[in-house]
Amino acid sequence: MIPKRDFGITRLEALFTPEILDLQMDVSLVESYREQRRRFILKRLELQTQIMLIVGVTLTAFFIWNNQQPNGKIYALKIGLLIEFFIFICWLLCRTKIGERYPHVMFLNLSWSVTCVIQIYTAVLFDFVEPFTNIWNLMFITQATLIPVLWRTHLISQIGTIICYLGLYLIYRPQFRHPLSLYIENGMYCFWTAIICVFSVYLYEKLRKKEFRARQELEIAQKQSEKLILNILPQVIADQLKQQPTTIADSFLEVTVLFADIVGFTELSSHTSPPQLVELLNEIFCLFDELAELHGIEKIKTIGDAYMAVAGLPSHRSDHAIAIANMALDMQQAVNQFNQEQNQSFRIRIGISTGPVVAGVIGLKKFAYDLWGDTVNTASRMESHGIPDFIQVCEASYDLLKEDYLLQKRGLIQVKGKGEMITYLLLGAKLNNQ
């Protein structure tokens, strides 16, 4: 039983629908970008933690060597070890499920482990609330360089550092140890460093997003092109053309060719509007295309209201005659069902022939996969000299089908260009084969 078909959208319309504009496609693109960005952040966070561990060791060593105050070396060592400990914890978290799921949180943890921990530690131990603007700037620049995405997160980390310092300042109310102009100068440097870092990250991420979408659109366009090519050429032939863009021609010793023609279509065109006529023909041929795909048959082309298909190439199959016979019977049933659903009265005439052919692609423009040989001519004559609503087969096809199908001998008929030929009418499959 041929399944009913929804005629709401044709194959041709579906083929050229611009999927890149579809909302679902756009959502999937955004999700893909987020996933790619998440992996990028994790890799860069691990790299930054490793770099910061090395930087922390060198700075701690320098402060220990340069500190001449009593117990200063011990305090420098404690501060250095504390910061290294927090950075190491961030590195470990980046390698866990938590880090994979919340990379932006790991980003803030790493930033504040360096900028805020030292402020809090020195404030608690020494009532020292001087802003460590050099360390802030180093951290802001490092993160903007290594992780140039999530500009909002960069901004939050910078604001959090400032809020931490202001909170400590309000709690401890320290006296200024340097001229006010120095604080203003350092504050201006820190402010513009933060602004430049955030702005550069914003521009970089915007560029990356555009590049990502451009790559996605290119991939979709390539897939659409591939889909269009495969609607014109068989997969094997398309692959051959990609590897070797030359004339392709192959000989096949035995295939089965089918021609089908809609009876009275020319007369119908005289009293039917062109758009309606083309739409009806398109719907019928779309049904035939679905049957060809169902039976594993290669559609070759349509010529006006004629439909041509073949089984047994470009990939060989031993049951080529059976596949074509099944398709021919299903085509009759599909047209009958179409007539009932669309209140039409189309009739088809089908011809089948078996034998050798030459198949290939020729030309430079509007090329197509085509067949040549006496078998093709015979199949065309089987159709044109056939009977409406019947399937006429040549003797070669009859020999391959007679065991499994009911065939009625039509007898000798005069065939243009061939002389007299014995032909048969394919009526259906035998009961033991159904």
Side-chain angles (χ1 to χ4, degrees):
M1 181 68 180
I2 306 299
K4 290 188 177 181
R5 182 174 179 274
D6 180 12
F7 296 103
I9 180 170
T10 66
R11 281 283 184 85
L12 192 64
E13 291 170 334
L15 178 63
F16 290 101
T17 299
E19 296 182 19
I20 189 61
L21 298 180
D22 186 78
L23 180 59
Q24 278 191 326
M25 177 64 70
D26 191 61
V27 171
S28 67
L29 286 180
V30 173
E31 293 301 320
S32 298
Y33 173 74
R34 288 176 180 172
E35 176 62 24
Q36 186 188 73
R37 185 179 63 182
R38 185 188 64 80
R39 292 195 301 268
F40 172 79
I41 293 171
L42 279 175
K43 290 180 180 179
R44 290 302 181 89
L45 278 172
E46 287 192 43
L47 175 62
Q48 186 183 359
T49 52
Q50 294 166 4
I51 292 175
M52 296 308 295
L53 285 171
I54 296 172
V55 172
V57 169
T58 58
L59 290 178
T60 301
F62 172 77
F63 288 138
I64 291 174
W65 172 76
N66 191 51
N67 200 313
Q68 303 299 325
Q69 297 180 359
N71 298 323
K73 296 181 184 295
I74 296 176
Y75 288 129
L77 178 61
K78 286 182 178 180
I79 293 173
L81 290 177
L82 182 64
I83 294 176
E84 292 286 275
F85 171 76
F86 278 100
I87 295 174
F88 182 72
I89 293 298
C90 289
W91 177 76
L92 289 178
L93 289 174
C94 288
R95 305 173 68 88
T96 64
K97 295 293 183 181
I98 297 175
E100 291 179 4
R101 189 169 182 179
Y102 304 106
H104 53 288
V105 175
M106 297 301 104
F107 178 98
L108 295 175
N109 284 341
L110 181 58
S111 177
W112 292 336
S113 293
V114 175
T115 59
C116 295
V117 167
I118 188 172
Q119 294 281 170
I120 296 172
Y121 188 75
T122 53
V124 171
L125 289 182
F126 311 112
D127 291 335
F128 185 79
V129 196
E130 290 290 306
F132 292 99
T133 53
N134 289 337
I135 294 178
W136 298 357
N137 290 338
L138 176 63
M139 193 63 194
F140 298 160
I141 293 172
T142 301
Q143 287 195 307
T145 304
L146 294 178
I147 313 176
V149 290
L150 298 174
W151 68 269
R152 293 181 181 85
T153 308
H154 281 265
L155 183 61
I156 291 171
S157 73
Q158 295 163 8
I159 293 174
T161 298
I162 301 299
I163 290 175
C164 175
Y165 169 75
L166 293 177
L168 293 173
Y169 181 85
L170 292 175
I171 293 172
Y172 290 93
R173 299 283 183 175
Q175 298 293 322
F176 287 122
R177 302 187 180 206
H178 302 285
L180 181 61
S181 60
L182 181 62
Y183 290 100
I184 295 175
E185 181 182 352
N186 289 338
M188 292 291 289
Y189 283 132
C190 186
F191 171 78
W192 283 113
T193 299
I195 291 297
I196 292 171
C197 286
V198 170
F199 188 61
S200 64
V201 170
Y202 168 77
L203 293 178
Y204 181 82
E205 184 169 22
K206 189 176 180 180
L207 178 62
R208 278 182 62 90
K209 191 176 291 186
K210 286 183 178 179
E211 290 176 347
F212 178 83
R213 287 184 174 273
R215 287 195 303 270
Q216 288 288 336
E217 290 179 10
L218 178 60
E219 289 178 9
I220 292 171
Q222 289 173 340
K223 289 178 181 178
Q224 288 292 91
S225 299
E226 183 78 13
K227 181 180 176 182
L228 182 58
I229 290 173
L230 293 179
N231 273 271
I232 299 172
L233 301 173
Q235 177 78 57
V236 176
I237 303 303
D239 293 340
Q240 274 185 269
L241 279 175
K242 290 177 186 177
Q243 298 171 5
Q244 186 181 7
T246 58
T247 301
I248 295 176
D250 297 298
S251 296
F252 297 88
L253 295 178
E254 189 176 74
V255 301
T256 299
V257 181
L258 174 148
F259 272 87
D261 182 76
I262 299 176
V263 180
F265 192 80
T266 303
E267 291 78 4
L268 180 65
S269 63
S270 63
H271 55 82
T272 305
S273 66
Q276 184 183 4
L277 192 70
V278 172
E279 181 63 25
L280 289 171
L281 186 63
N282 179 60
E283 290 176 359
I284 293 173
F285 281 179
C286 284
L287 287 172
F288 293 170
D289 287 347
E290 291 173 356
L291 290 175
E293 187 174 350
L294 176 66
H295 293 289
I297 290 169
E298 194 66 45
K299 173 189 174 181
I300 299 302
K301 60 185 175 181
T302 59
I303 310 168
D305 60 336
Y307 188 94
M308 179 183 177
V310 62
L313 61 80
S315 300
H316 173 72
R317 58 184 295 180
S318 58
D319 63 340
H320 50 85
I322 292 175
I324 285 289
N326 290 335
M327 177 169 174
L329 293 169
D330 284 348
M331 288 169 74
Q332 287 183 325
Q333 187 179 350
V335 170
N336 291 334
Q337 182 177 307
F338 177 82
N339 286 335
Q340 293 176 5
E341 294 175 356
Q342 302 294 315
N343 193 27
Q344 298 293 333
S345 57
F346 289 109
R347 304 168 71 193
I348 61 168
R349 194 170 49 220
I350 300 175
I352 296 174
S353 176
T354 300
V357 298
V358 174
V361 179
I362 59 174
L364 296 175
K365 295 182 178 180
K366 297 183 180 179
F367 52 83
Y369 190 63
D370 209 346
L371 307 181
W372 300 272
D374 186 62
T375 302
V376 178
N377 296 332
T378 301
S380 178
R381 295 291 182 264
M382 289 297 99
E383 178 272 312
S384 61
H385 291 70
I387 305 171
D389 297 327
F390 281 92
I391 304 166
Q392 183 165 244
V393 305
C394 69
E395 197 161 14
S397 300
Y398 167 78
D399 291 336
L400 295 175
L401 297 173
K402 60 185 179 182
E403 297 297 328
D404 301 311
Y405 293 85
L406 297 172
L407 293 112
Q408 177 183 324
K409 186 176 182 179
R410 187 181 180 192
L412 281 172
I413 64 170
Q414 190 68 30
V415 177
K416 182 180 178 181
K418 303 289 294 182
E420 290 187 338
M421 293 184 66
I422 298 177
T423 65
Y424 300 82
L425 301 177
L426 174 64
L427 302 179
K430 291 182 178 179
L431 292 178
N432 58 0
N433 190 48
Q434 290 180 341

